[in-house]
Amino acid sequence: MPQRSTRMSVLVSTLGFPRIGPRRELKRALESHWSGKTTEAALLDSAASLRAAAWKRQKAACVDHIPSNDFSLYDHVLDTSVMVGAIPEIYGWKGGPVPLQTYFAMARGSRGAIDGACAAHGHRSAVHGLPAMEMTKWFDTNYHYMVPEFGRGQTFSLGSTKPVDEFLEARQLGIHTRPVLIGPVTYLLLGKSKDPSLHPLALLRNLLPVYVEVLRRLWSAGADWVQMDEPALVLDIDDATRAAFETTYATLASEVPGLKLMLATYFGALGDNLAVALKLPVAGLHVDLVRAPEQLAPVLDGAPKDLVLSLGLIDGRNVWRADLEPLLARSEAAIRRRGTDGIVLAPSCSLLHVPVDLAQEDGLDEDLRSWLAFAAQKVDELSILGRALNEGRDAVQDALVASSWAAGARRVSTKIHDPAVRMRLAAVTPTMSHRQGAFEARRALQRQQLDLPAFPTTTIGSFPQTEAVRKARSAHAKGALSDGEYQAFLRRETETAVRWQEEIGIDVLVHGEFERNDMVQYFGEQLAGYAFTKHGWVQSYGSRYVRPPIIFGDVSRPEPMTVGWSSYAQSLTQKPMKGMLTGPVTMLQWSFVRDDIPRLETCRQIALALRDEVVDLEAAGIRVIQIDEPAIREGLPLCKAEWKAYLDWAVECFRLSASGVADGTQIHTHMCYSEFNDIIASIGAMDADVISIETARSKMELLEAFTSYRYPNEIGPGVYDIHAPRLPPVEEMAELLVKAKERLSADQIWVNPDCGLKTRRWEEVKPALVNMVEAAKRLRATA
Ligand code: GLN
Ligand code: ZN
């Protein structure tokens, strides 16, 4: 029978715990299964141990509402598609429990041949055999989910009882959990309908019976609370969507009476949707008070008397240790209004987005360590808050003092606050984010100085990171290869790449980025204010995890970062050698960022550091400098009303980094995704002399954005899809260029691949670039 508790204390809950394991155990289990080394049973065993460990850890911290079904072998949205039987036809599902093989085929294509992922930004390649489902970012996080796909005449039926199975599995271990489901409305909104005339929400009526069935089964299994994640409630939604929420929760409440639903919203404020959320017939509402602390007052004011409020107090999206005293004060104020029974303490969102356990980080600076909290520590923080409220402050006096002490030390630490950086920031003037001359004047000078042909060819920066390159890097890191030997090796690789580019006739060369481990880490390691963890992995998608750097302090550049490699490469050739930097917004976006100053301030600091690098490159004789900004688009806020402010400062930071050079120096930027329509004016406002973008896969369709807006500067629409191993023939690339010519003026066009080539093999890259150069030549001949 369900445990229906009567209680007189504040409860502590979590909304989801990292599933990857403290040492990436899940990755290893998955990959060894995929490669055929281990059986399905062995994989499921490892998964069960990971779940058990996470539950026990939370239980030990006295969490009252411990989540289940937050675990996933690949992705929780995919799990939901499987649960409701939304399996696209090509996977050949005939009803009944969805086999694990089908699940993995949806996740990564069949036959497993899916390498060639563009590691720098988590895209993945096309597959042979059955394709994988499409993947995209989960709200504004770096987590990617498998996009549900709804076909014509889509129906739903139970395809998996995972939520019930995992609830029972936990109960076997003596742990009573609160199962988590993605709410039906958010689930449908995350999906795509293959039939453009069919809005996913039209499927709601068909979908709800499956949810009712799952909830009934959970209730019979003994669940008393179920967490329904509906983050769509923090988005701009229309009246029809609001009505869908009402229908959904009215149905669930009447069909499964007695079961308490905790409606979880996160990643922002409920805003205009608050009234709707407060009216829904649910037992509890979770609100994100980290992203939107201001919503506590209206929530307290508007909530019906018996609605349990779950306060998202601990930051689930960032790595900082909480200052517990102010949170305690907020909780006490809420309790005075609602009573202890009316309040649950929680992280702002699932802890999926932070690393697992700080205890493993022995290499970190001790001060920095004392300012951090990963998932395990965040659970402890909640538990301290709970005990302070239930047992009195004395019970956790030491922990409270330690928290205040760390917060105080962080506020004044000289490791964080660098007066020189602050002074420099204060002295920034608007002219600093403007190039001296207008584009036309710069272009004339650059043409003369660079002496490039029409349709100049270039690449995006990186060349294949071969086995040899990776081996040398790791040998060097382990001390098996001396600095001197490693440098000599990198020089040879670079020289070979330069010679080869000259040989095949590329116009603007690159050095190949062999010395870089990762486009953010490489710079972060050379900047003050950045730190790196050993085990701070966070899931990006499936078994792919990233280890984002932590920006903890004022950022500055003690020394030049790339000038050595760029000048060495330039010394090998008369052709222009393109300097290669990662832009300020991308450096920010792919890191954990300080929470004690506004993001834009950190971004400006990075921009100034990069500006110094740009100026130094110019002084060293580098005439073309590319500042990559693949992450500009993903920084867009969830609500449109906030877009402009973000785009304004993002563009300003890019310009601040780029504008310290003379007009004759050519600034490039690169972005690799295919949605520009709604931000094209801001892309134009970046005022890069040349932008390279991804267009091969869309067959130049995305250039539409650049024609209706009339992009003013030069542009390299990618003609070689680097995500696939396939060799593009000359004709195909020439055709793409002809298409580009229909939409852009001929003297605007550059010829380049879609993105960097580091994930490809030389055997693939060489013929492809030879063809690319040939395509440019053909175009020149007919121009
Ligand atoms: N210059 C980088 C490279 O070529 C750009 C990578 C990216 O766009 N993500 O790898
Ligand atoms: Zn790219």
Side-chain angles (χ1 to χ4, degrees):
M1 275 309 287
Q3 301 173 2
R4 274 143 213 163
S5 54
T6 48
R7 63 187 171 92
M8 286 303 290
S9 57
V10 166
L11 296 189
V12 168
S13 75
T14 52
L15 308 188
F17 198 78
R19 45 182 85 129
I20 62 178
R23 290 287 168 113
R24 294 185 288 162
E25 288 84 351
L26 182 57
K27 181 188 182 72
R28 254 177 281 127
L30 282 168
E31 290 178 354
S32 95
H33 173 63
W34 290 337
S35 71
K37 283 199 210 97
T38 46
T39 61
E40 191 172 305
L43 169 63
L44 297 181
D45 252 15
S46 313
S49 334
L50 285 168
R51 287 192 289 270
W55 288 325
K56 286 180 183 159
R57 172 162 230 159
Q58 295 174 83
K59 172 109 181 174
C62 302
V63 175
D64 303 287
H65 285 176
I66 296 173
S68 58
N69 200 39
D70 55 337
F71 179 84
S72 176
L73 283 173
Y74 201 93
D75 163 41
H76 54 281
V77 182
L78 182 62
D79 293 345
T80 311
S81 292
V82 164
M83 177 184 89
V84 301
I87 318 287
E89 252 169 50
I90 54 162
Y91 300 104
W93 178 60
K94 304 272 183 294
V98 175
L100 196 59
Q101 254 189 341
T102 309
Y103 177 84
F104 284 137
M106 292 164 80
R108 46 200 299 274
S110 67
R111 285 197 233 161
I114 56 158
D115 220 9
C118 188
H121 42 115
H123 290 162
R124 55 116 138 303
S125 65
V127 295
H128 315 293
L130 279 179
M133 291 178 74
E134 196 184 317
M135 181 171 65
T136 195
K137 273 172 178 275
W138 174 248
F139 296 83
D140 60 355
T141 72
N142 259 324
Y143 176 85
H144 300 71
Y145 69 91
M146 309 305 301
V147 180
E149 191 185 298
F150 308 123
R152 244 173 237 282
Q154 178 73 48
T155 56
F156 299 98
S157 63
L158 195 65
S160 147
T161 51
K162 175 177 181 288
V164 186
D165 304 342
E166 290 181 9
F167 175 80
L168 292 172
E169 181 182 312
R171 213 175 56 172
Q172 286 269 305
L173 299 168
I175 296 170
H176 181 78
T177 59
R178 182 174 78 182
V180 187
L181 301 178
I182 296 180
V185 181
T186 296
Y187 172 70
L188 287 174
L189 292 177
L190 291 173
K192 265 195 185 165
S193 164
K194 284 211 115 174
D195 170 0
S197 66
L198 177 78
H199 191 280
L201 281 183
L203 298 167
L204 186 62
R205 282 190 187 281
N206 287 337
L207 175 65
L208 285 179
V210 183
Y211 270 85
V212 167
E213 185 172 351
V214 172
L215 293 176
R216 281 198 183 133
R217 289 183 184 222
L218 283 170
W219 172 254
S220 319
D224 51 353
W225 279 93
V226 171
Q227 173 185 325
M228 297 292 266
D229 281 3
E230 291 282 14
L233 274 167
V234 310
L235 304 179
D236 301 315
I237 53 174
D238 56 14
D239 288 344
T241 308
R242 293 197 190 101
F245 276 109
E246 283 161 11
T247 313
T248 299
Y249 288 91
T251 307
L252 300 182
S254 70
E255 296 289 325
V256 201
L259 184 66
K260 291 186 260 188
L261 299 184
M262 173 59 75
L263 184 75
T265 69
Y266 42 80
F267 301 153
L270 281 160
D272 291 346
N273 305 324
L274 176 61
V276 176
L278 290 175
K279 268 203 325 237
L280 298 176
V282 289
L285 174 68
H286 170 83
V287 290
D288 183 338
L289 297 178
V290 174
R291 281 282 177 87
E294 72 287 351
Q295 63 179 346
L296 180 56
V299 168
L300 286 173
D301 290 343
K305 215 172 93 293
D306 52 357
L307 184 70
V308 173
L309 293 179
S310 164
L311 310 182
L313 295 166
I314 297 288
D315 194 348
R317 291 287 299 274
N318 213 332
V319 291
W320 303 105
R321 181 176 181 174
D323 188 0
L324 293 177
E325 280 293 351
L327 298 183
L328 204 50
R330 295 195 89 189
S331 316
E332 281 163 348
I335 289 168
R336 277 196 295 277
R337 295 276 302 273
R338 317 269 320 165
T340 38
D341 283 5
I343 297 294
V344 178
L345 307 178
S348 59
C349 59
S350 166
L351 299 172
L352 177 67
H353 309 289
V354 292
V356 181
D357 191 357
L358 183 64
Q360 316 186 87
E361 297 298 332
D362 43 20
L364 282 179
D365 173 88
E366 271 311 307
D367 286 335
L368 174 57
R369 228 179 104 91
S370 73
W371 303 326
L372 296 173
F374 294 174
Q377 289 67 41
K378 287 172 189 285
V379 170
D380 291 341
E381 291 181 325
L382 284 163
S383 140
I384 294 163
L385 284 176
R387 290 188 60 195
L389 292 166
N390 291 327
E391 300 166 32
R393 293 177 121 74
D394 286 350
V396 284
Q397 191 57 32
D398 290 353
L400 290 176
V401 170
S403 160
S404 303
W405 205 87
R410 183 175 164 213
R411 266 192 291 276
V412 298
S413 169
T414 52
K415 290 182 180 165
I416 292 183
H417 306 282
D418 178 349
V421 173
R422 292 311 167 100
M423 267 162 61
R424 203 169 164 212
L425 217 61
V428 169
T429 58
T431 41
M432 285 170 71
S433 37
H434 285 86
R435 299 288 297 272
Q436 292 157 19
F439 174 67
E440 282 309 325
R442 304 199 305 263
R443 169 192 248 199
L445 263 178
Q446 291 164 17
R447 289 240 157 125
Q448 183 196 340
Q449 292 176 13
L450 294 173
D451 191 25
L452 297 173
F455 308 106
T457 52
T458 190
T459 60
I460 306 305
S462 59
F463 278 129
Q465 291 263 328
T466 56
E467 188 60 27
V469 172
R470 285 198 300 264
K471 266 202 183 134
R473 181 178 307 130
S474 91
H476 177 239
K478 288 190 195 116
L481 202 64
S482 73
D483 286 352
E485 286 164 332
Y486 182 52
Q487 297 296 316
F489 167 81
L490 292 173
R491 277 173 172 253
R492 283 196 301 277
E493 291 290 310
T494 307
E495 177 166 7
T496 313
V498 171
R499 297 277 171 254
W500 180 75
Q501 292 171 82
E502 281 193 315
E503 208 178 287
I504 67 161
I506 300 255
D507 301 306
V508 172
L509 312 195
V510 298
H511 73 283
E513 302 182 21
F514 302 107
E515 76 288 8
R516 303 189 185 176
N517 36 18
D518 168 272
M519 65 185 290
V520 171
Q521 189 178 349
Y522 182 75
F523 290 93
E525 281 173 348
Q526 302 185 70
L527 290 168
Y530 266 85
F532 292 82
T533 61
K534 278 196 194 139
H535 307 285
W537 298 98
V538 178
Q539 190 178 17
S540 168
Y541 66 84
S543 67
R544 192 65 94 111
Y545 312 154
V546 293
R547 209 170 24 163
I550 298 171
I551 306 178
F552 66 91
D554 288 335
V555 176
S556 62
R557 185 198 70 148
E559 275 172 53
M561 304 182 282
T562 64
V563 176
W565 282 112
S566 286
S567 358
Y568 167 66
Q570 181 68 83
S571 75
L572 301 169
T573 177
Q574 296 299 315
K575 294 229 176 139
M577 175 61 58
K578 185 157 65 164
M580 198 59 61
L581 306 173
T582 302
V585 183
T586 301
M587 289 294 296
L588 183 83
Q589 204 55 39
W590 291 349
S591 306
F592 285 115
V593 179
R594 291 169 71 170
D595 61 351
D596 58 335
I597 59 173
R599 285 174 81 79
L600 87 107
E601 216 167 292
T602 299
C603 198
R604 277 202 194 118
Q605 296 179 356
I606 304 169
L608 285 174
L610 289 169
R611 179 186 178 93
D612 295 345
E613 187 72 13
V614 170
V615 168
D616 283 349
L617 282 169
E618 179 185 56
I622 304 297
R623 294 166 293 164
V624 182
I625 301 166
Q626 178 172 310
I627 307 173
D628 291 326
E629 283 290 24
I632 284 227
R633 190 182 166 92
E634 62 188 58
L636 282 173
L638 292 173
C639 289
K640 268 237 155 108
E642 291 158 30
W643 279 27
K644 185 177 177 327
Y646 162 76
L647 285 168
D648 285 353
W649 66 250
V651 169
E652 188 222 295
C653 286
F654 176 85
R655 294 174 62 134
L656 189 57
S657 68
S659 302
V661 288
D663 286 348
T665 298
Q666 188 171 64
I667 299 288
H668 288 219
T669 190
H670 164 70
M671 289 168 202
C672 34
Y673 40 81
S674 39
E675 290 168 80
F676 283 97
N677 282 303
D678 45 3
I679 57 166
I680 187 74
S682 299
I683 304 291
M686 288 166 70
D687 198 26
D689 297 305
V690 184
I691 179 176
S692 57
I693 55 171
E694 173 181 322
T695 42
R697 274 191 290 190
S698 78
K699 309 254 178 298
M700 298 284 153
E701 262 165 37
L702 84 91
L703 278 185
E704 288 311 329
F706 288 79
T707 46
S708 43
Y709 160 77
R710 278 204 58 72
Y711 187 73
N713 301 2
E714 296 183 3
I715 175 166
V719 291
Y720 161 22
D721 172 10
I722 63 95
H723 302 91
R726 140 174 204 282
L727 169 67
V730 180
E731 296 68 37
E732 181 182 306
M733 293 197 266
E735 236 166 72
L736 288 178
L737 286 168
V738 169
K739 274 196 176 175
K741 237 175 78 181
E742 289 160 7
R743 295 166 160 99
L744 303 164
S745 67
D747 62 357
Q748 261 185 307
I749 300 177
W750 283 64
V751 180
N752 48 258
D754 269 351
C755 191
L757 300 164
K758 69 172 172 200
T759 56
R760 295 258 68 95
R761 294 177 304 132
W762 275 113
E763 301 87 275
E764 297 159 344
V765 164
K766 283 190 170 176
L769 290 184
V770 166
N771 285 1
M772 186 187 87
V773 171
E774 182 54 32
K777 284 189 185 147
R778 284 201 197 162
L779 204 67
R780 281 171 208 155
T782 59

